[in-house]
Amino acid sequence: NLCIGQILYESGAKQRYPSNHQKKGELVKSYAGAIGIGQIMPNTAYGIISKLSPKEAGEMLELGCTPVYCIRYSDTVREYSKEWISNKRNNLIMWGHIMRSNLSKRPNIYKALVSYNSGTGGMIRFVNNGGNVSQHKYVKGIRNTLNVVEKSV
């Protein structure tokens, strides 16, 4: 449930704004520039793609994303990364890759979620300063989103 809640919290589970929104049809973007259903920063996408093993790249292709090798060899890396994650399937596959990686490094869903939001360093600083990851504002936001959805169903 928390991963579903994460997508709902990040973007309302939308890649683009719906027709009844003032920004209808435009990509869902954060003030910081994160894009789409998984709210992924273009530089984050590039950083991950540039380090993918051939096996990981192949797994992503098998899931249906567009080829990632184009990003590695593009002169306009940031723009191409932005274009790549503007595709809903690519964005969702990248979100899954990030979360799987987070969970494999720290098999605790709360730490994985906080790392997704704040980066590994942010999560570690939060914990080292006495924070409880299950009570992090990002996790609380996800829980609140899930509560609203559950009440409306």
Side-chain angles (χ1 to χ4, degrees):
N1 276 354
L2 287 171
C3 287
I4 293 168
Q6 179 187 20
I7 291 292
L8 288 166
Y9 183 66
E10 285 285 355
S11 64
K14 293 174 179 46
Q15 182 75 1
R16 297 184 177 277
Y17 291 103
S19 59
N20 63 347
H21 193 279
Q22 65 182 1
K23 295 181 180 181
K24 76 175 186 180
E26 292 181 33
L27 280 169
V28 174
K29 291 183 187 176
S30 73
Y31 69 91
I35 294 173
I37 195 166
Q39 288 294 281
I40 299 168
M41 294 293 286
N43 286 343
T44 299
Y46 172 72
I48 291 168
I49 288 168
S50 68
K51 296 174 187 164
L52 286 175
S53 70
K55 180 183 177 205
E56 290 170 319
E59 289 171 348
M60 290 175 76
L61 281 171
E62 286 176 17
L63 290 170
C65 76
T66 56
V68 295
Y69 60 83
C70 299
I71 293 176
R72 290 184 182 187
Y73 305 110
S74 171
D75 290 336
T76 56
V77 168
R78 182 170 166 74
E79 280 308 304
Y80 195 83
S81 298
K82 184 177 173 182
E83 181 182 322
W84 191 85
I85 57 173
S86 294
N87 173 290
K88 184 178 184 177
R89 183 172 292 193
N90 293 347
N91 195 291
L92 200 51
I93 290 169
M94 179 60 71
W95 166 80
H97 178 80
I98 294 167
M99 285 303 295
R100 181 176 76 173
S101 175
N102 286 352
L103 284 164
S104 71
K105 291 175 190 167
R106 53 199 77 75
N108 174 309
I109 187 65
Y110 301 118
K111 287 182 178 181
L113 289 167
V114 174
S115 293
Y116 187 91
N117 177 254
S118 306
T120 301
M123 184 274 298
I124 290 170
R125 280 189 300 280
F126 183 76
V127 170
N128 286 346
N129 287 326
N132 177 342
V133 285
S134 69
Q135 297 302 311
H136 188 277
K137 65 181 178 180
Y138 184 66
V139 174
K140 286 181 177 181
I142 291 169
R143 281 199 189 114
N144 288 339
T145 299
L146 284 170
N147 287 336
V148 168
V149 170
E150 287 173 8
K151 288 177 185 174
S152 67
V153 175

